[in-house]
C-alpha cells in the first residue's frame, strides 16, 4: 500500500468515525480484515453498483 492509499484510507476511517461510534467502526474494520477475498470482491461490486445508482439519481 503506497502513501496515497494510506492517506485515503485514513480519511475514510475518520469520515466513518464522524458518522458512527468508534467501536462500531473498529468492529466493521475488523470484519473486513478477516473477510475472504471472494467476499470482499462481492462487497466491492455491490458498493460500485450503489455508487452508480446514487450518481444516476442525482
Amino acid at each position: 500500500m503506497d502513501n496515497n492509499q494510506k492517506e485515503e484510507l485514513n480519511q475514510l476511517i475518520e469520515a466513518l468515525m464522524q458518522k458512527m461510534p468508534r467501536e462500531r467502526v473498529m468492529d466493521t474494520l475488523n470484519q473486513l480484515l478477516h473477510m475472504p477475498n471472494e467476499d470482499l470482491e462481492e462487497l466491492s461490486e455491490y458498493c460500485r453498483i450503489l455508487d452508480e445508482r446514487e450518481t444516476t439519481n442525482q
Side-chain angles (χ1 to χ4, degrees):
M1 180 179 285
D2 67 29
N3 286 337
N4 289 336
Q5 290 172 320
K6 288 178 185 177
E7 181 60 30
E8 187 174 335
L9 181 58
N10 284 335
Q11 290 173 0
L12 290 170
I13 291 170
E14 287 176 22
L16 280 173
M17 287 189 180
Q18 291 176 5
K19 301 286 183 184
M20 299 177 357
R22 184 181 191 281
E23 185 176 307
R24 185 165 175 212
V25 172
M26 293 311 210
D27 286 343
T28 302
L29 291 173
N30 188 45
Q31 289 174 13
L32 289 171
L33 287 172
H34 292 95
M35 190 178 283
N37 283 343
E38 43 292 338
D39 291 346
L40 280 173
E41 290 171 10
E42 187 176 326
L43 178 61
S44 177
E45 179 65 14
Y46 177 74
C47 290
R48 186 190 62 74
I49 291 168
L50 288 178
D51 284 345
E52 284 180 4
R53 284 184 187 168
E54 185 176 314
T55 302
T56 302
N57 289 336
Q58 291 178 353

